Amino acid sequence: MTASSHDAILIVDFGSQVTQLIARRLRETGVYCEIHPFQKAGEAFGRLAPKGVILSGGPASVPTAGSPRAPEAVFASGVPVLGICYGQQTLAQQLGGHVESGHAAEFGRADVEIREPSALFDGVWKVGGRYPVWMSHGDRVTRLPEGFTVKAVSENAPFAIATDEARRYFTVMFHPEVVHTPDGASLLQNFVHGVVGLKRDWTMAAYREEMTARIRRQVGSGRVICGLSGGVDSAVAAVLIHEAVGEQLTCVFVDHGLLRKGEADQVVSLFRGHYNIPLVHVDASGRFLRELAGVSDPEGKRKIIGRLFVAVFEEEAKAIGGAAFLAQGTLYPDVIESVSFSGGPSVTIKSHHNVGGLPERMNLKLVEPLRELFKDEVRALGRELGLPDAFVGRHPFPGPGLAIRCPGEVTAEKLAILRDADAIYLEEIRRAGLYDRIWQAFAVLTDVRTVGVMGDARTYDRVLALRAVSSVDGMTADFFPFDMAFLGRVSTRIVNEVKGINRVTYDVTSKPPGTIEWE
């Protein structure tokens, strides 16, 4: 499903931490879109021929010399444009308005007061009403371009919404893409469906059909190898490719011994039993543990795991021989971050084997059938392909596995304790019917030991930390509000059933906007 077969929206990225959420909101309403950094947006605009353009927010200041601008071709084309925050400001400046620094900033929750009607909020907001939004700006538009009128104001944004409806230019000073703007998704829908006039034709059934045909064209009669990590992304990619080319695909499952309890067996059973996909299962757990011995630095552990994963996969690929293509479960957020103008937080966050690919010396052409999808879309595609819901609905799990949930040195003993405790935690969450309401839940075996008393004996064992967060999109998250009876039940089971733990604690911190992973 690409620009060649579907009308599209181009999102020009000025570096906002939540630009990806704009794309998520559009995809959720059945619209294809692509994000491109402002430096490359001109080329993308010419190639994609979008029916509409959205200008994202960003951290720069429009009055500063050399600050980012939108491609002039966008304004010359006559397509509808929606400017968000920084997007509003650069649009105003480029069309003859004026932006200034030094005015009162506005960060966080605010209310907008609707002064005049607009196609942007038709059927959503009424004139005279006040509605909550999420602001994040320090600069201000002080003069609108000719043809623009003010549609809404806020305490510190006299042009909270300003539009030129004749030319189909719409600008907002707040962020409609975040959940903190309750009606934001409806505003975006009004823009893409009402103003731009796009159909709702972004579906996983269509994507499956089109991507299967594309894989067949790309691969031809060649052989494909796919590295399975045990996660959802690589599994969905493998099943989709197998549907396209059948026995031409061989999967290599590098079992590094850092998976959750029973996961390795589940992967092998799924691919060999349920789908009958050729699978090479490499138990490299001993090798990984030897290399990790004595290493306590989290980044050091990540790099070791990434290097070893590549080395083991390369060895197995050579043993198989004859492959011309390498399949990877690259997702759209990885593609976006790899070309972001600021480098993106993933530069320092994602440093395991899922980032950077495999060595060029392997001389394999890439097959990346998921590179246009977000995580929730991958899950939808997995269900479309018939993967068991228990598999595709699993909580996200990091590439380095339990190694980063085991602070300090990683040992077989600590991993065994963590696996058993984590399994009890997840079992109780499922038993309580809470698993699908939680974005991610996991246990961490801390490097802290405490003195305790169990029965008539004194103990000196480890503290286990439990974590669970609720989230709509993974960009922001808050701790899940378990009741005390549940936490008491889980803690009692873990302390009684898992030797080596004498205390359990629950982490109630929240995940701030803009961070990519929670580990």
Side-chain angles (χ1 to χ4, degrees):
M1 185 169 294
T2 64
S4 62
S5 57
H6 295 266
D7 289 337
I9 296 290
L10 169 65
I11 301 169
V12 180
D13 182 17
F14 292 110
S16 168
Q17 293 178 324
V18 292
T19 296
Q20 290 185 28
L21 294 186
I22 303 173
R24 289 288 300 275
R25 300 296 170 255
L26 300 195
R27 297 282 186 88
E28 288 165 0
T29 192
V31 170
Y32 181 79
C33 60
E34 291 185 11
I35 298 174
H36 292 274
F38 72 92
Q39 310 98 315
K40 300 180 180 180
E43 179 277 329
F45 183 79
R47 173 184 56 79
L48 194 60
K51 300 298 183 181
V53 174
I54 296 179
L55 309 178
S56 85
S61 176
V62 167
T64 302
S67 57
R69 294 291 183 266
E72 289 296 335
V74 169
F75 304 116
S77 69
V79 302
V81 180
L82 171 62
I84 296 173
C85 197
Y86 184 92
Q88 181 197 61
Q89 295 170 4
T90 190
L91 181 149
Q93 188 84 7
Q94 289 181 250
L95 294 182
H98 188 64
V99 179
E100 292 181 359
S101 301
H103 294 272
E106 202 168 26
F107 295 97
R109 289 180 174 82
D111 288 332
V112 293
E113 179 185 341
I114 306 303
R115 296 286 178 84
E116 294 186 11
S118 169
L120 186 64
F121 47 78
D122 184 40
V124 182
W125 291 342
K126 296 180 179 180
V127 174
R130 294 178 64 86
Y131 303 95
V133 298
W134 186 264
M135 293 282 192
S136 181
H137 66 93
D139 296 344
R140 176 188 294 180
V141 176
T142 55
R143 187 181 73 245
L144 290 171
E146 185 177 350
F148 278 74
T149 57
V150 177
K151 303 296 184 179
V153 300
S154 71
E155 183 176 357
N156 289 310
F159 305 140
I161 302 178
T163 72
D164 180 341
E165 314 246 344
R167 290 189 287 176
R168 297 187 296 176
Y169 292 154
F170 299 82
T171 70
V172 299
M173 200 60 248
F174 54 89
H175 287 271
E177 67 272 30
V178 302
V179 296
H180 308 296
T181 300
D183 298 319
S186 297
L187 270 59
L188 291 171
Q189 287 186 45
N190 273 1
F191 178 71
V192 297
H193 296 302
V195 175
V196 182
L198 296 191
K199 296 178 294 185
R200 302 174 186 268
D201 60 359
W202 174 262
T203 67
M204 284 303 103
Y207 188 89
R208 173 185 182 179
E209 180 180 348
E210 294 179 21
M211 185 54 67
T212 299
R214 192 196 304 182
I215 293 168
R216 287 174 183 148
R217 288 194 301 270
Q218 180 186 4
V219 171
S221 60
R223 293 187 61 190
V224 186
I225 56 172
C226 177
L228 294 178
S229 64
V232 174
D233 303 336
S234 60
V236 171
V239 172
L240 181 62
I241 294 169
H242 185 256
E243 180 171 89
V245 300
E247 296 298 307
Q248 293 168 237
L249 170 70
T250 299
C251 292
V252 178
F253 174 38
V254 178
D255 182 357
H256 50 36
L258 303 169
L259 296 174
R260 290 170 289 202
K261 191 170 185 177
E263 256 184 345
D265 292 339
Q266 185 181 29
V267 171
V268 173
S269 174
L270 179 70
F271 281 83
R272 285 183 178 164
H274 190 76
Y275 284 99
N276 198 28
I277 296 175
L279 175 67
V280 176
H281 178 199
V282 187
D283 184 357
S285 54
R287 183 172 174 181
F288 275 81
L289 276 178
R290 286 192 296 273
E291 290 275 351
L292 289 168
V295 180
S296 58
D297 175 61
E299 191 64 14
K301 290 190 284 189
R302 286 171 175 270
K303 290 179 177 178
I304 289 170
I305 294 165
R307 173 177 55 79
L308 277 181
F309 185 94
V310 170
V312 174
F313 184 86
E314 188 175 10
E315 292 165 8
E316 295 302 320
K318 287 180 180 177
I320 294 169
F325 296 90
L326 168 68
Q328 291 190 159
T330 306
L331 301 191
Y332 195 44
D334 300 318
V335 177
I336 297 167
E337 290 155 11
S338 69
V339 297
S340 67
F341 84 93
S342 61
S346 62
V347 170
T348 55
I349 293 177
K350 294 184 178 179
S351 53
H352 49 78
H353 64 270
N354 290 333
V355 176
L358 295 171
E360 291 184 8
R361 63 178 176 269
M362 293 185 70
N363 196 30
L364 297 173
K365 299 174 184 177
L366 285 178
V367 180
E368 297 176 306
L370 309 182
R371 65 181 285 115
E372 296 173 7
L373 303 182
F374 287 98
K375 188 76 170 186
D376 59 323
E377 294 171 328
V378 173
R379 296 188 193 280
L381 178 59
R383 294 185 179 98
E384 175 70 26
L385 289 164
L387 271 79
D389 193 67
F391 190 88
V392 297
R394 288 190 310 181
H395 293 172
F397 194 60
L402 297 179
I404 56 161
R405 293 177 181 170
C406 190
E409 183 182 9
V410 179
T411 66
E413 178 191 10
K414 290 170 69 175
L415 288 174
I417 293 172
L418 181 55
R419 273 196 194 90
D420 288 343
D422 189 70
I424 291 172
Y425 182 35
L426 295 180
E427 179 185 324
E428 288 296 332
I429 287 174
R430 288 190 174 93
R431 183 176 294 171
L434 300 174
Y435 190 84
D436 292 336
R437 290 174 53 192
I438 295 172
W439 174 265
Q440 187 181 44
F442 56 87
V444 176
L445 186 64
T446 73
D447 224 14
V448 176
R449 288 179 178 270
T450 62
V451 174
V453 176
M454 298 182 68
D456 295 322
R458 186 181 293 271
T459 64
Y460 182 58
D461 284 325
R462 297 184 182 278
V463 175
L464 184 84
L466 302 180
R467 180 75 175 141
V469 295
S470 56
S471 177
V472 174
D473 43 49
M475 295 294 290
T476 61
D478 203 356
F479 66 90
F480 188 82
F482 289 123
D483 61 51
M484 293 306 295
F486 173 86
L487 291 175
R489 184 164 62 251
V490 172
S491 300
T492 299
R493 277 200 62 189
I494 290 173
V495 170
N496 285 341
E497 297 177 31
V498 183
K499 186 177 180 180
I501 297 173
N502 69 358
R503 185 163 300 176
V504 177
T505 182
Y506 183 59
D507 180 6
V508 295
T509 54
S510 298
K511 177 181 178 184
T515 50
I516 303 300
E517 290 184 303
W518 191 288
E519 298 180 355

